[in-house]
Amino acid sequence: MPYASASDRSEPLAPLPPLPPLSVPSFARPETAFPHEESDPRQVYDAIRDELLLDGRTRLNLATFGTTWMEDEARRLMFETADKNLVDTEEYPQVADMEARCVRMLADLWHAPDPAGATGCSTTGSSESAMLAGLALKRRWEHRRRAAGKDTARPNIVAGANVQVCWKKFCSYFDVEPRLVPLAPGRLHLTPEMLGQYCDERTVGVVGILGSTFDGSYEPIADLCLALDGIEHATGHDIPVHVDGASGALVAPFLDPDLMWDFQLSRVASINTSGHKYGQVFPGLGWALWRDADALPADLVHHVDYLGGEMNTFSLTFTRPASHVAAQYYTFHRYGHEGMRRLHQESRRTARAVAAGIAEIEMFDLFTDGSQLPAFAFRVSDRAHALGLHERDVAQAMRARGWQVPAYPLPTGLADTWALRVVVRTGFTPRLASLFLDDLRQTARTLCSQTLATTPA
């Protein structure tokens, strides 16, 4: 029938019934007490999933080094092994053997003297790996001191102020003095000429960082070792090096094979890395390896026999799902040397292209350019600062478009200087990179226009 206008109707429309009150399931309200009743699983799932929509999108998170993309096959393996307890080697011997194989593969990759007899373990991440490596350094130092009839008070560890917070935690938790070398203009990490001012007979070790969290740069591990050789020659202090390769130890072997940083340097006692960073596995997985069995004091390794078999363990945690180890074993075999090289080359190429694009925007200056880790840092230029703009303004404006770009002050020595950082990982495609640069250019134009409009003439 033809449409009737309101003037053609002989009777007014009946009013709509009132809406029922909004019913929010108890599990979707802010919790103040443990629930009393069961709930429908699908309703709980839907409510939680809806709430998680408010989180940022992982593919647009340029703040994290953590893996945000994995192949479906690796995801399935993680799901299928999530119920297996990694430490129960008697019940799950194949997963335990996969962990040992991964340790041997890393030992080979990092040029350990005897990869077949490698000493190492998986961890929940590089923070735990760093704790274990630091404990081994401290215990070895204590053994040497006692053997020489000396006290073991006031141990210290030397690193650049750019170390990840896990090393500050280690020092706090295990009573070690942190001697953190301040940064300076033009020097964003530890350099060999600084070691003589900080190392002494109570130094348990020096931490060299292969891939700084703050700017993606590599510290010169070989030069640090050479400087420590000189210190030993002059003072007799034999100080080992731990390489914190949380990010770079699974990048440098594939992209920088001639770089000297690993067990090829005799002073390197241990190395850690994060499988959940450039090892292509979702968080959280770390690895800790020692040069040989002598580098890991035997009194730190504990014997366990109450899971149905006998095993040795050295970790700060115990029960863990086997899923991350299974996924790591998958990625090592799936990609191999050539595949990892291809993935990281793509990430580095994208990082350098994005850095070059940012360098062309007048509002910004680069700290690094992505030529080491596929990550780099930049800042708001002095001219833009003079107009009242700040790195936090950029981060906030980019967040409005979904991009997570961290703004943070640099460590001690440059604490008045702020930086923005971009981390490129597998999944950050050239198309996403192009869209990111478009949004950053528009952000720069908008912020500058707004600032100029509010600046008195």
Side-chain angles (χ1 to χ4, degrees), residues 306-359:
Y306 55 75
L307 291 177
E310 296 186 357
M311 59 174 288
N312 292 322
T313 178
F314 177 40
S315 65
L316 300 180
T317 59
F318 196 63
T319 296
R320 286 190 289 128
S323 51
H324 291 85
V325 167
Q328 185 74 93
Y329 190 64
Y330 169 87
T331 62
F332 283 175
H333 278 281
R334 161 67 178 89
Y335 296 112
H337 197 286
E338 290 306 312
M340 294 289 275
R341 177 178 171 81
R342 174 182 59 80
L343 292 176
H344 296 336
Q345 273 185 328
E346 291 172 358
S347 293
R348 182 182 278 180
R349 187 179 301 116
T350 300
R352 296 196 68 178
V354 174
I358 292 174

Side-chain angles (χ1 to χ4, degrees), residues 62-65 159-165 167 181 183 187-190 207-221 243-249 251 277-278 367-368 370 372-377 406 408-411 414 419-424:
L62 304 184
T64 181
F65 284 86
N162 57 310
V163 287
Q164 216 266 358
V165 69
W167 288 100
V181 180
L183 307 187
R187 180 170 56 78
L188 299 181
H189 54 228
L190 184 63
V207 178
I209 308 172
L210 195 72
S212 171
T213 298
F214 290 92
D215 67 348
S217 64
Y218 295 160
E219 290 188 340
I221 308 297
V243 178
D244 185 342
S247 299
V251 172
K277 292 183 178 175
Y278 288 102
F367 283 115
T368 48
Q372 294 182 319
L373 277 189
F376 62 90
Y408 51 88
L410 293 178
L414 291 174
L420 295 149
R421 188 186 67 228
V422 170
V423 180
V424 176

Side-chain angles (χ1 to χ4, degrees), residues 26-27 35-40 44:
S26 62
F27 54 79
H36 288 283
E37 299 176 352
E38 294 184 65
S39 297
D40 179 78
V44 176

Side-chain angles (χ1 to χ4, degrees), residues 335-404:
Y335 296 112
H337 197 286
E338 290 306 312
M340 294 289 275
R341 177 178 171 81
R342 174 182 59 80
L343 292 176
H344 296 336
Q345 273 185 328
E346 291 172 358
S347 293
R348 182 182 278 180
R349 187 179 301 116
T350 300
R352 296 196 68 178
V354 174
I358 292 174
E360 294 175 355
I361 304 174
E362 188 176 357
M363 181 176 164
F364 301 117
D365 293 327
L366 292 178
F367 283 115
T368 48
D369 65 359
S371 59
Q372 294 182 319
L373 277 189
F376 62 90
F378 62 106
R379 63 185 289 267
V380 171
S381 67
D382 291 339
R383 181 172 178 271
H385 274 141
L387 294 175
L389 294 174
H390 194 276
E391 284 76 10
R392 288 171 297 194
D393 301 323
V394 178
Q396 184 175 3
M398 292 297 285
R399 178 65 68 94
R401 286 286 292 162
W403 301 104
Q404 298 169 60

Side-chain angles (χ1 to χ4, degrees), residues 111-177:
H111 302 97
D114 178 23
T119 300
C121 61
S122 68
T123 66
T124 56
S126 275
S127 290
E128 183 185 357
S129 299
M131 303 280 178
L132 300 180
L135 280 171
L137 291 175
K138 182 183 180 185
R139 190 62 58 88
R140 288 179 64 198
W141 175 81
E142 290 172 340
H143 289 336
R144 292 196 303 269
R145 296 280 293 183
R146 291 191 184 103
K150 299 179 179 179
D151 70 89
T152 58
R154 304 188 308 281
N156 68 73
I157 198 164
V158 175
N162 57 310
V163 287
Q164 216 266 358
V165 69
C166 65
W167 288 100
K168 299 174 185 178
K169 290 182 180 180
F170 164 74
C171 292
S172 175
Y173 299 165
F174 297 105
D175 198 22
V176 175
E177 176 195 352

